[in-house]
Amino acid sequence: MVQLRSKLTSSPEQRSIPELDGGAPLIGHLLDFQRDPVAMLSRGRRQLGELFQFRLGPRPFVLFSGPEAHDAYFSAPEDQLNAKAVYQFTVPIFGRGVAYDVAPQIMAEQLGFLYPALREAAMQRFARIMFEEVSLFADSLGEEGEFDLPAAMNELTVNIASRCLIGQEVRDQVDSGFADAYHDLQKGINTLGFFFPRLPTPAHRSRDRARRQVADIFGQVMAARRRSGTHHDDFMRSLMDASYSDGRALSDEEVTGILLTVLFAGQHTSAVLATWTGLELMRTPDYVERVRDESHAIYGESGLMSLEGLKQQVTIEHAVRECERLHPPLIMLIRKVLQPMPYGDYVVPAGTLAMVSPAVAHRLPELFADPDRFNPDRFAPPAREDKQHHYSLIGFGGGAHRCMGKHFAETQIQAIWTVLLDRFDFSLATGFPSPNYGSWVTGPQTPCRVRYRRRSQESAFR
Ligand code: HEM
């Protein structure tokens, strides 16, 4: 691993940050950005290097790209590069008093309550649940047919997340209200909401209604648990049992808000990465055979999926990592610069929006050989391309806000494709899609349908 030398010191000869050409009066680079943000940002990186500026409407942005710039970005303190100021659009969804509505140290304390529920023992149980949920889905399919891949991955990950993370009772209500309410809440994340989260549009009104419905569902589950005294190993219980460092217990409203924060951070992103993983595997049949051989070798005797088994499945692990690289669900992360930030010969002024882009970073040819090619073996020894530089692979973020659910998400996607490839042969029914940059989480353009045929070969699982 190459050690990074800090470029955070400002030199006496300060230079102005290079500006991307092609900006128009008033709108800046907005049109280019809307058309294809990754192409625009990659062009900037190629022409101008690790720091450059551009404008979206009146707002000035600076992209930090490359391992050293990422390191500076992720190491900056919250009072310099601030997430809360950018993620205000989440407050009507997550609720008051949690996440980006509170001071960063309180948000960290709130998320910290959840770490015990993601420990090894819990993950062992989750691996079984993941297997059961994917098996249920596989059993619901016929001998052969076609389905909408993003919709299927969405359904599966809602079922898995609600059962593992929120609580079995919420999983039981997925079809009777929860999925619809959650879907309406998701629609509350839109471009308008990013700038004006409280504007009384129809989408925002149904978002607020859905928020109340979800709070009711979670509230009833919490009340029933208190009445019956039943014990559950999940996030809801961790939060109901937790108290802040000043001794205060969490209110039901706070528990609901933190659960929604985690669900929003983790479910759709997982569904999208699972979709891309399936798509890439479907056009690489030789690699699929290696995945199948590996699962037969690992599970052939026991016939049972386990966390230990999933850890040994390096072939599928590398495929998921390669899809994180090629198709990161979050193509950019943003912070507001609250205090001027020196970097090399530059100072990024306060008021700027600072960005890193996993989608740009992951295709830098100096970090990844033949970067547009799907090649999971780049992560195997001896190449181990992701280990050559700290922060070359940043699909799960970094620093204080790094993803807390990385291991859960990777395990889940591995489990999904291990089971599905064991049971079915797949092919693309609608061709390989391009990315849809119109939504906050970058999935494929639709339609995105796949054909399946049940396999006659012996399964690795009982
Ligand atoms: C493939 C799936 C996932 C991807 C690509 C992903 C990606 C990310 C990224 C890039 C960040 C950093 C955001 C930023 O710096 O602004 C993040 C944060 C976060 N993720 Fe994930 N995530 C995934 C799954 C999950 C899951 C399953 C969970 C929960 C179990 C989760 C919980 C969170 C939380 C709570 C944060 C916020 C941390 C903070 O701000 O302190 N994520 N995720």
Side-chain angles (χ1 to χ4, degrees):
M1 168 98 48
V2 172
Q3 287 302 315
L4 303 176
R5 210 154 34 93
S6 173
K7 282 200 190 172
L8 283 173
T9 45
S10 159
S11 85
E13 270 181 66
Q14 192 181 307
R15 293 193 290 142
S16 61
I17 301 169
E19 195 171 340
L20 186 65
D21 58 16
L26 295 175
I27 57 169
H29 300 84
L30 198 60
L31 291 181
D32 261 6
F33 188 82
Q34 271 179 333
R35 212 171 296 130
D36 188 336
V38 178
M40 183 190 110
L41 297 174
S42 302
R43 176 171 72 85
R45 157 75 199 194
R46 272 194 311 277
Q47 290 174 355
L48 305 169
E50 52 179 354
L51 231 66
F52 69 89
Q53 53 174 319
F54 58 98
R55 267 188 318 108
L56 300 180
R59 286 163 207 259
F61 282 79
V62 166
L63 180 79
F64 287 65
S65 67
E68 289 186 50
H70 296 158
D71 192 32
Y73 186 94
F74 288 129
S75 315
E78 202 71 35
D79 58 6
Q80 188 168 47
L81 290 194
N82 186 273
K84 180 180 173 197
V86 176
Y87 292 126
Q88 282 305 297
F89 68 94
T90 62
V91 174
I93 297 169
F94 302 163
R96 290 283 184 202
V98 295
Y100 299 108
D101 191 47
V102 294
Q105 60 276 21
I106 299 186
M107 176 175 174
E109 199 177 351
Q110 292 176 336
L111 294 179
F113 296 139
L114 303 176
Y115 278 98
L118 285 171
R119 283 204 196 113
E120 184 86 0
M123 285 302 301
Q124 283 172 356
R125 208 166 42 80
F126 293 160
R128 291 295 307 157
I129 294 177
M130 289 166 185
F131 176 73
E132 281 169 29
E133 289 288 345
V134 194
S135 301
L136 273 177
F137 172 74
D139 294 345
S140 75
L141 295 177
E143 279 307 301
E144 60 183 299
E146 216 181 275
F147 63 82
D148 178 324
L149 187 62
M153 293 302 117
N154 205 47
E155 186 187 317
L156 253 177
T157 50
V158 167
N159 292 347
I160 293 174
S162 56
R163 194 163 152 200
C164 294
L165 304 181
I166 311 293
Q168 176 67 46
E169 306 94 319
V170 176
R171 166 70 180 93
D172 295 340
Q173 295 185 52
V174 159
D175 296 328
S176 53
F178 178 69
D180 289 341
Y182 178 62
H183 186 64
D184 282 348
L185 257 183
Q186 278 184 321
K187 283 195 290 190
I189 297 193
N190 49 45
T191 315
L192 200 61
F194 183 81
F195 295 107
F196 308 103
R198 300 273 172 197
L199 208 66
T201 62
H204 288 171
R205 272 198 291 271
S206 62
R207 171 198 70 193
D208 297 342
R209 203 177 319 114
R211 176 70 178 69
R212 287 192 294 273
Q213 277 172 304
V214 171
D216 276 353
I217 295 174
F218 288 5
Q220 282 163 22
V221 174
M222 283 185 261
R225 283 187 179 192
R226 283 194 197 98
R227 272 197 309 275
S228 66
T230 44
H231 185 95
H232 297 263
D233 270 336
D234 50 35
F235 279 6
M236 186 180 273
R237 177 186 158 227
S238 305
L239 294 171
M240 287 172 72
D241 289 354
S243 45
Y244 290 107
S245 48
D246 63 5
R248 183 173 76 77
L250 278 71
S251 67
D252 281 7
E253 189 50 30
E254 285 169 313
V255 173
T256 297
I258 300 168
L259 291 176
L260 277 173
T261 305
V262 179
L263 201 58
F264 266 77
Q267 182 274 323
H268 195 39
T269 41
S270 298
V272 160
L273 191 56
T275 301
W276 285 118
T277 304
L279 290 167
E280 287 289 1
L281 286 170
M282 280 174 215
R283 64 172 178 181
T284 323
D286 291 353
Y287 202 82
V288 168
E289 284 316 311
R290 286 172 56 191
V291 171
R292 285 176 176 150
D293 289 348
E294 188 178 64
S295 34
H296 272 275
I298 294 171
Y299 302 111
E301 245 169 64
S302 72
L304 290 175
M305 180 171 275
S306 62
L307 188 64
E308 287 63 38
L310 283 158
K311 281 184 192 163
Q312 291 169 44
Q313 283 184 267
V314 289
T315 311
I316 188 84
E317 182 192 323
H318 291 163
V320 176
R321 195 168 305 155
E322 180 66 335
C323 290
E324 172 202 340
R325 186 185 74 81
L326 285 172
H327 309 286
L330 298 179
I331 58 168
M332 53 201 166
L333 314 177
I334 309 176
R335 306 281 187 265
K336 185 159 187 185
V337 183
L338 297 186
Q339 286 175 39
M341 174 161 172
Y343 182 76
D345 296 340
Y346 307 118
V347 174
V348 184
T352 310
L353 290 165
M355 194 186 258
V356 293
S357 169
V360 172
H362 292 175
R363 295 196 190 217
L364 292 176
E366 56 273 35
L367 301 180
F368 299 104
D370 197 1
D372 295 334
R373 190 162 78 92
F374 175 73
N375 173 21
D377 290 328
R378 68 174 75 244
F379 299 121
R384 306 197 65 174
E385 290 182 4
D386 55 328
K387 303 285 182 219
Q388 304 306 317
H389 295 270
H390 195 43
Y391 288 138
S392 52
L393 203 64
I394 54 168
F396 289 93
H401 290 284
R402 73 187 169 281
C403 183
M404 65 179 303
K406 180 175 186 284
H407 183 41
F408 182 91
E410 289 168 339
T411 306
Q412 170 177 226
I413 300 169
Q414 279 184 231
I416 290 175
W417 285 108
T418 300
V419 174
L420 292 183
L421 294 171
D422 177 72
R423 307 261 165 100
F424 302 97
D425 286 320
F426 288 99
S427 60
L428 303 169
T430 43
F432 197 88
S434 40
N436 173 9
Y437 294 124
S439 111
W440 186 253
V441 181
T442 302
Q445 296 276 7
T446 51
C448 175
R449 298 184 64 78
V450 296
R451 285 194 204 96
Y452 67 89
R453 182 192 293 263
R454 206 169 277 277
R455 303 179 76 228
S456 53
Q457 288 87 336
E458 203 190 334
S459 164
F461 302 100
R462 256 190 263 127

